[in-house]
Amino acid sequence: MAVRIPARQLGSALVAVAAVAAALPALPAFAAQAPAPAPDQAAVAASVSCQAGGRAYFSPGLLPVPVPRETNVQYSGQDRTCSGSMPEGGQIATAKFNGAFDAPMSCVVGGGDVPTEGAGTIEWKTKGGKSLKSTLSLTISGQMFNSATVDGSVTEGAFAGARLHGKFRVDLLKEGINCAGQSFFGGLKQAPFDGSFSING
């Protein structure tokens, strides 16, 4: 059997509940906030310009003949000056560009009409003394003894996802006498290279 509460008693109970609620301290209202997204270093816009230079090594050595042979070229870079900053902060002081690719070459003819694929790295140093590294995927085109165009992307490390563009020069014409002299010892095996490159995200 349902118990019926007189209206007068029910009204008194509701008044008591309201009085207790009014006596409680007010609680602050919290608005739901989404967590702040973590910074994505790869998404940070990059704009870096650097000089490049060092020694280029050839295997097998280059011969003073008009018919080139398939040659492995290794760019072994030295520290060169840069302008720009790292994605995570810090001004860049120097960069060392290293690269490797295969192309038909001789002391007379460097490179071919078809672009060739290669790989490389950049070793960075900041003005604060920090060292970082980028791994590169490269496409090389042009006559290597005159001016080679290097395009590619950063696949790992600092500036991952950014694009690279550079111009590199190995002046084999200046090495002509040396090339002829080295032909009896397997060919010219090294020469200086220089140039510049930029990184843009």
Side-chain angles (χ1 to χ4, degrees), residues 52-132:
R55 303 292 294 180
Y57 295 89
F58 312 107
S59 179
L62 305 182
L63 299 174
V65 295
V67 179
R69 58 180 176 177
E70 196 69 10
T71 305
N72 176 257
V73 182
Q74 300 274 345
Y75 285 149
S76 180
Q78 300 170 349
D79 287 332
R80 293 291 189 269
T81 58
C82 290
S83 62
S85 59
M86 304 303 297
E88 64 272 24
Q91 290 293 310
I92 300 172
T94 62
K96 182 187 296 184
F97 182 92
N98 304 296
F101 60 94
D102 294 316
M105 297 187 70
S106 73
C107 290
V108 180
V109 178
D113 297 330
V114 179
T116 184
E117 302 301 312
T121 62
I122 301 173
E123 299 173 42
W124 308 95
K125 290 181 182 177
T126 69
K127 292 183 179 179
K130 191 174 182 180
S131 297
L132 299 100

